[in-house]
Amino acid sequence: MDWLIEHKIPIGRWAEDGFNLLADNLEWFFDATKYGLNQAIEGLLWLLVTPPELAIVAAVALLAFLVRRKLSFAVFAALALLLIINQGYWQETMETVVLVIMSTAACMAIGVPVGVLAAHNPRFFDFLRPILDMMQTIPTFVYLIPAMVLFGLGMVPGLFATVIFALPAPIRLTQLGVSSTPTALLEAGNAFGATRRQLLWKVELPYALPQIMAGLTQTIMLALSMAVIAGLVGAPGLGQEIVRALNTYDIAMGFEVGLCIVLTAIVLDRFFYGREGGRG
């Protein structure tokens, strides 16, 4: 055993050297990416925090009613946001919402096409599966280390770590939905002379929509949970307030921020819950 320990394979050092190599040789790329993402984040945040809080509450309540067609959900969304304002965490909540929106959009933009490709190419999915397993099982705090190396501190490393953590969900569920399309539907499409693109857009994706929407809701929840952890690398929002409460043993602040996170999660989840429709 001593011999085995003395001849340790330097896996950690290899990983560190790889990230340092990226940081040294592609510094211009990561700086440009950080600048572009910061501009997008600040623009979206400006849209949420510049108008009066009550105007945003009214807009969210109206959107909730139009999306769900339920007055109860609209009232709940309005009351939840009003309680967040009452607790004094409106700015922090909007910063967290921006991080969730940006990371979810990135995950879906990457995950859905990759999931479709994996469904059409089983060998590619076999290659991808252990990578997805690793992304889902590595402790979430580990993602923060390369994020800080490549992007420094702030919102962008939090966004990077959140995307890496949440990305497997849309990939797996999109692959599952597309690959489970019944053969009879595909044969019917072929019988009517549909091209591969038409089969994808008019048969496979509509059939896979429930799974894709499930991937969306999972991505939102995973992004929200990771957005809190991202506070450790300086990402503004409710995560920083949780870190501050932990550092000062502030039970009251911790409970208040936790309640804001729960309300935000429920409102975001209910916007998309059950929107996938049925399969007919």
Side-chain angles (χ1 to χ4, degrees), residues 103-113 167 170 174 212-213 215-216 219:
S103 58
T104 300
C107 286
M108 297 306 292
I110 299 171
V112 173
L167 186 58
T174 300
I212 294 174
M213 293 302 296
L216 175 61
T219 301

Side-chain angles (χ1 to χ4, degrees), residues 5-245:
I5 295 174
E6 291 173 358
H7 294 79
K8 174 182 177 181
I9 300 176
I11 297 175
R13 182 175 298 176
W14 292 342
E16 180 181 2
D17 291 342
F19 280 107
N20 288 334
L21 184 65
L22 288 175
D24 293 339
N25 293 280
L26 296 176
E27 182 179 3
W28 59 272
F29 171 78
F30 294 113
D31 288 344
T33 302
K34 183 177 181 179
Y35 175 79
L37 289 175
N38 273 329
Q39 293 298 111
I41 290 169
E42 290 175 2
L44 183 56
L45 184 61
W46 182 85
L47 290 176
L48 293 177
V49 300
T50 301
E53 289 89 342
L54 293 180
I56 297 295
V57 172
V60 171
L62 177 60
L63 183 61
F65 178 76
L66 294 176
V67 170
R68 301 293 301 175
R69 294 296 179 180
K70 290 183 179 180
L71 182 61
S72 59
F73 175 57
V75 173
F76 172 81
L79 292 177
L81 295 181
L82 289 173
L83 182 57
I84 291 173
I85 295 173
N86 173 262
Q87 295 299 302
Y89 294 103
W90 178 257
Q91 174 77 24
E92 292 80 5
T93 300
M94 292 301 102
E95 290 169 343
T96 298
V97 168
V98 167
L99 183 57
V100 171
I101 291 174
M102 294 287 294
S103 58
T104 300
C107 286
M108 297 306 292
I110 299 171
V112 173
V114 173
V116 171
L117 180 61
H120 290 163
N121 192 333
R123 289 186 178 180
F124 174 67
F125 184 61
D126 290 339
F127 164 77
L128 196 62
R129 185 179 298 164
I131 299 176
L132 298 178
D133 292 340
M134 181 182 67
M135 293 169 65
Q136 289 183 307
T137 54
I138 289 180
T140 54
F141 290 97
V142 176
Y143 293 119
L144 301 179
I145 302 173
M148 287 189 296
V149 172
L150 299 177
F151 298 104
L153 297 175
M155 183 76 85
V156 174
L159 175 63
F160 174 83
T162 303
V163 169
I164 297 298
F165 175 66
L167 186 58
I171 294 178
R172 287 186 183 276
L173 288 169
T174 300
Q175 187 276 335
L176 177 62
V178 173
S179 62
S180 62
T181 304
T183 305
L185 289 179
L186 297 176
E187 290 177 349
N190 288 321
F192 282 100
T195 63
R196 293 186 62 181
R197 177 176 297 181
Q198 289 172 330
L199 283 176
L200 173 63
W201 286 99
K202 296 186 178 181
V203 177
E204 292 178 325
L205 288 181
Y207 185 86
L209 187 59
Q211 295 289 348
I212 294 174
M213 293 302 296
L216 175 61
T217 56
Q218 282 197 19
T219 301
I220 291 173
M221 294 300 103
L222 291 171
L224 187 58
S225 66
M226 191 63 185
V228 174
I229 299 175
L232 294 172
V233 293
L238 296 173
Q240 275 194 347
E241 300 303 311
I242 288 289
V243 173
R244 186 174 294 112

